[in-house]
Every structure is written in C-alpha cells, then in structure tokens.
Amino acid sequence: MYEDLSLYIDGEFIKGGGRPAQDVFDPATGSVIAQLPHATKEDLDRALAAAQKAFESWRLVSALERGNILRKVAQLTRERAEAIARNITADMGKPLKEAIAEVNRCAEHLEWHAEEARRIYGRVVAARVPNVRQMVLKEPVGVCVAFTPWNFPYNQAVRKVAAALGSGCTLVLKGPEDAPSAVIALARLFHEAGLPKGVLNCVWGVPSEVSSHLIASPIVRKVSFTGSVPVGRLIASMAGSGLKRMTLELGGHSPAIVCEDADVDAAARVLSAVKFNNAGQVCVAPNRFYIHEKVYDRFMASFLEHAKKLKVGPGSEATTTMGPLAHSRRVPAMMEMVEDARAKGARIELGGARMGDNGYFFAPTVMTEVPDDASIMLNEPFGPVAPCVRYTDLDEAIRRANALPYGLSSYAFTTTTKNALKLQNGLQAGNVNINHSGQAAPEIPLGGVKDSGIGSEGGQETFDGYLATKLVTQLD
Ligand code: NAD
C-alpha cells in the first residue's frame, strides 16, 4: 500500500483540514497515485515554533541517547526496507532492487552518525597566564531547515536528518514533492523510535514559497540544501542575507577521462554502470567523457555494448535495470539537449529519444563528436545521456575537464602512477575517482568545490555545519 502522505509537525501527522494538495504521479505510467497535502503559512510557523521549543531540551540530551534513537531508526529501516522501497519505486521510478539497496544503505548512515555523534569533541588550550583554563566547546547551532531532492529520496533525507539530530540540532525538513513517500516513512520511523516531539518536522508545499518563508524566519540558524545550482544560488542568497550557516550540495558536470594507458574494458564497464545508474539522475554521474584518441574506438565499442544491454522498463519489474525519468519535465529537458547537440554536429550512436507514450521513459543515449559548446557539454543533463569526445594530450583533457564552473565529482582511468598523480592534483572536484566508480559510504565526505557547493555531508566532516565553536575561559 502506498504511503499515507501527510505533514509531520510537533509529533503529529496532519493532513486534510482544507489544506491545498498536489497530485503525486507514478513515472512509469504517468498516472496519479496519491495526493500530497501542502503546509499553510500557519503550519510552517507551527513547525518552526515546535523545532525551537524542542531545541531547548534536545540540545541537552546526551550524544549517547541521541545516537540510540538513530540506531533504533536504523534497525526499523532494515525491517521496513522493502515496503519503503516499493513506494520509492512507485513515486520516483527507480528499479525496486536499487530502491531496496538505497534504503538499506541508509541504515548504515544512521548507525555511523549515531557513533560519530559521540566523537563531537572540544579541546583544552594551554593559557598564557597561570590559573586560567581555556576550553573550546562545540555546541549545536539551533533550529535548522533542510531541502532534499527526489533522486535518492530516502538517502538524501537521512543524510541531513542524521547529521542535524546527531549534533543536537532540531529540524524542519521539506522533502521532494515529486517523490514524497520516503520522507514521511522516515518521519514515521523516528516517531516510532521515540524521538521527542518537535525535534523533526516535515512539511510540503510550493518549494519557492516554503523555502523563502522558512529561511526568512529569525528562528532558523542553519540551512541545508541538495539540488540544482540555480536553486542553490537562490537559497544561498536568502541564507546569506539572514547570516545563516549553510551546507549546499549542488549539481555537477563530472568529467571522465580515459587515458591512453587505461584498462579500456574496465573503464567502459565501470563508466557505463555509473552513467546509467538511476537513469543518470545522480549528482555525481559522469557527464562528459574524454577518451584518448588511441583507445577511443575500443572504448566506444565496449561502452556501447554495455549501454545496449540495459533493460529499460517499470522499476517494479524484476528484469528492469533502468527505470523511467522521475517526472514528465525531465523528458523534454533530455530531448532539448540531444537536439541541440545533433544540430551542432554530434552523432547519435544509441537512443536519443523518448521510449513509448506511457510514463517518462528515455532511451539510454550515447553521442559522439559532441562539440564543447553543445548545451550538454556545459549544463548538467541529469539523465541517461553520455556525450563522448576524443583528446590527444592529458593536460588538454584536464584543462577541458576543469573548464566548467562545477566541481563535484570526476573519474579517470589510467594504469600509471605518473598519470594518476597528475589527475589527482589537476582535477578540480570534491572527489576524484581513479579506476573505479567511487562509493557513497557514510564514513567518506561528499561535497563540491566551485559552483557545486559549500561544505560536506558524511565523513568526520558531517557535523561541521551543525556545530558552533564556543571558547570558555575561566580563572580559578
Ligand atoms: P529543480 O531545480 O526544479 O529542483 C531540484 C530540487 O530542488 C527539487 O527537489 C525541488 O523540490 C527543489 N527546489 C526547487 N526550487 C526550490 C526552491 N525555491 N526552494 C527549495 N527547494 C527548491 O530541478 P528538477 O527538474 O527537479 O531537477 C533537475 C535538476 O536538479 C538537475 O539538473 C540537478 O542539477 C538538480 N538535482 C540535483 C540533485 C543532487 O543530488 N545534487 C538532486 C536532484 C536534482
């Protein structure tokens, strides 16, 4: 059964009451599967007030106790993984196997944050005068607001909720209206795990209206957002004018460089898997493929072979390896980029069009001879389209890779230490993955440089954005 969609404010699941609602669609069929209630301005204010009141006591709850609640939610997450995942497949479209894997991985994120919260340390600094003690303390910043996207709806919410609550902050979360079931499922698990009321609140609405109302509130001390660069800029300007801390995990346009000395078959296998994972709707997906001219033909043959094997279909079917795009607006977005590249001289080697009339399916697409000024080489496609080009010199490839204002992820394949070192040092990105796909484990940080964001999530950096530094000096 699909999730009972509601708001979650001050420990209560709320809907109806004349609130406006929006349709939720199944991207595999285009049909309406549920109604999502929107928060009124009064609901938003109540959520903020509840988070403010809850902060007074939650900040004093021990890290061990906060961790126990996160651990309990991890256990419930594993127990309910299949039911939560079925609803993610229903409203977001990804293959069920991938949805189950996403949810189960989140149990690890919750457990890791539970443990790491016990390592929020301060320090003692030797004073310059006798009898003075100087202590550096870390304190939760207060009420936070977070905005999470639809591509990994459970994972993106868990990362922010675990970091905020683990550090002792309280939170008002606006999840993705396009794929809302995962966030409400998560709220239910926290409720069941005994989270005090008001510590976590979940709201829905018109994104621009909700975010401007919440961020403008003087109650809010920190803003966290994952999504596109243009929306990130807007959120950052609102947070900046209120002098609020921010963590931004924004889009990227990750380059993949295959060197002359690469294991070409491994490169094609790994890069096709990461490119078409989640139908390309991944912030760290490789989006520009720079292949050395000497291995170009071999790489293209192998890459195309892998792409052709993808089985596109509804996420609920066991044989499906690539689902539909998450919503209708992504189909024309893909089409425009493909047409623009074709008009500028690119060759469509595979796909290049919508599949069928039902749902939002787009064929795995591979293009070659794509000019550097094609829209897809400049703007994040966020879809299953791979533009591939040749290069002759590694320095030139690194320069082209770094030419965009983004810097989230990057990929490179080489068998020599010399090239690996050049790539590690040269690529401007929050993460550089050499000879493999990278991982989304809780113990490693994820964050971008340049326009791709501010701050990191995960790793030992995960609480940094949620903690303030306080110096206490005391004369005995
Ligand atoms: P979009 O920019 O309209 O929305 C992206 C996300 O931001 C959605 O979850 C949406 O609800 C939210 N959002 C939009 N306007 C907002 C506002 N004013 N205040 C608060 N939240 C707001 O784009 P889209 O068509 O949904 O998705 C495509 C683009 O989004 C991609 O190009 C990609 O860059 C980006 N995206 C990035 C990630 C990521 O993990 N970094 C995830 C999803 C989408």
Side-chain angles (χ1 to χ4, degrees):
M1 221 177 56
Y2 187 70
E3 186 65 50
D4 183 14
L5 299 177
S6 48
L7 307 158
Y8 181 57
I9 298 174
D10 203 14
E12 272 183 80
F13 291 91
I14 308 161
K15 61 182 189 176
R19 289 176 178 82
Q22 78 176 72
D23 292 338
V24 177
F25 295 91
D26 174 352
T29 61
S31 53
V32 175
I33 52 172
Q35 294 286 309
L36 179 70
H38 281 194
T40 60
K41 289 228 159 72
E42 292 70 38
D43 289 328
L44 298 180
D45 289 337
R46 220 155 62 72
L48 288 167
Q52 185 180 34
K53 178 150 195 319
F55 180 64
E56 288 165 22
S57 43
W58 183 248
R59 64 188 282 269
L60 303 174
V61 170
S62 73
L64 182 66
E65 185 51 33
R66 297 197 302 265
N68 284 343
I69 292 181
L70 295 179
R71 231 177 260 106
K72 176 75 184 158
V73 176
Q75 178 209 327
L76 293 170
T77 291
R78 285 202 181 88
E79 285 169 19
R80 316 274 165 84
E82 184 160 347
I84 297 168
R86 276 192 193 286
N87 289 334
I88 292 176
T89 295
D91 61 22
M92 187 272 160
K94 70 176 65 181
L96 179 60
K97 237 190 301 177
E98 288 175 24
I100 293 174
E102 174 186 340
V103 177
N104 276 323
R105 247 193 332 268
C106 287
E108 269 193 60
H109 280 274
L110 288 154
E111 285 164 348
W112 187 84
H113 279 84
E115 277 308 306
E116 198 64 10
R118 296 202 285 178
R119 301 190 191 99
I120 296 175
Y121 301 132
R123 65 187 192 278
V124 175
V125 180
R128 293 182 177 202
V129 285
N131 304 331
V132 168
R133 197 175 291 270
Q134 302 182 131
M135 289 165 290
V136 179
L137 309 180
K138 295 287 175 182
E139 294 188 334
V141 294
V143 175
C144 306
V145 292
F147 307 95
T148 55
W150 43 263
N151 55 341
F152 291 92
Y154 202 71
N155 178 281
Q156 303 271 19
V158 161
R159 280 170 171 265
K160 296 196 193 301
V161 175
L165 273 50
S167 64
C169 293
T170 57
L171 182 65
V172 179
L173 168 66
K174 188 198 81 61
E177 285 76 15
D178 297 309
S181 63
V183 163
I184 284 301
L186 182 65
R188 284 191 202 287
L189 300 194
F190 272 103
H191 190 76
E192 199 173 323
L195 185 73
K197 65 182 191 170
V199 174
L200 170 65
N201 305 273
C202 302
V203 296
W204 309 103
V206 175
S208 56
E209 291 172 12
V210 176
S211 58
S212 53
H213 190 85
L214 292 177
I215 297 170
S217 166
I219 292 172
V220 171
R221 295 310 332 150
K222 192 235 154 73
V223 178
S224 180
F225 171 76
T226 297
S228 63
V229 172
V231 176
R233 242 184 250 289
L234 199 71
I235 299 269
S237 66
M238 290 190 284
S241 77
L243 296 177
K244 294 167 198 223
R245 286 157 199 262
M246 60 185 107
T247 303
L248 303 172
E249 205 269 83
L250 306 180
H253 202 307
S254 308
I257 298 177
V258 179
C259 296
E260 176 181 4
D261 57 25
D263 177 339
V264 172
D265 290 333
R269 175 173 42 78
V270 172
L271 288 175
S272 59
V274 269
K275 171 67 242 181
F276 297 108
N277 174 36
N278 213 23
Q281 302 167 118
V282 183
C283 55
V284 295
N287 287 324
R288 289 170 288 149
F289 294 75
Y290 300 102
I291 318 299
H292 192 276
E293 60 186 358
K294 288 199 180 138
V295 294
Y296 183 82
D297 290 342
R298 253 192 323 130
F299 174 84
M300 287 314 307
S302 179
F303 188 74
L304 278 163
E305 201 180 308
H306 287 290
K308 282 177 190 163
K309 282 191 197 141
L310 288 162
K311 174 89 177 61
V312 180
S316 54
E317 285 178 12
T319 52
T320 294
T321 54
M322 193 179 105
L325 300 180
H327 40 70
S328 55
R329 66 180 174 271
R330 301 306 307 156
V331 176
M334 287 308 96
M335 218 47 248
E336 271 169 39
M337 283 191 168
V338 170
E339 285 311 323
D340 170 81
R342 198 199 311 257
K344 288 178 176 145
R347 279 181 34 194
I348 314 294
E349 308 285 351
L350 183 70
R354 182 178 182 175
M355 294 173 80
D357 297 331
N358 280 338
Y360 318 138
F361 295 96
F362 199 85
T365 297
V366 178
M367 299 194 288
T368 53
E369 316 300 336
V370 188
D372 279 356
D373 67 346
S375 166
I376 195 159
M377 297 299 274
L378 302 168
N379 303 300
E380 186 179 30
F382 223 67
V385 185
C388 304
V389 295
R390 310 163 201 259
Y391 76 88
T392 49
D393 171 69
L394 186 54
D395 289 317
E396 169 217 339
I398 293 174
R399 189 185 46 73
R400 286 164 83 185
N402 290 337
L404 298 193
Y406 307 110
L408 188 56
S409 194
S410 58
Y411 301 83
F413 286 79
T414 176
T415 52
T416 63
T417 313
K418 183 172 166 244
N419 281 348
L421 205 60
K422 188 179 254 198
L423 288 153
Q424 277 171 38
N425 291 333
L427 286 169
Q428 298 167 354
N431 62 75
V432 179
N433 304 295
I434 299 187
N435 293 332
H436 77 131
S437 60
Q439 292 171 341
E443 62 273 17
I444 51 178
L446 174 69
V449 297
K450 296 158 75 179
D451 287 2
S452 289
I454 298 173
S456 297
E457 293 187 335
Q460 67 187 55
E461 291 83 357
T462 204
F463 296 125
D464 289 355
Y466 295 89
L467 296 169
T469 301
K470 179 189 268 182
L471 173 70
V472 176
T473 59
Q474 183 185 329
L475 176 66
D476 291 335

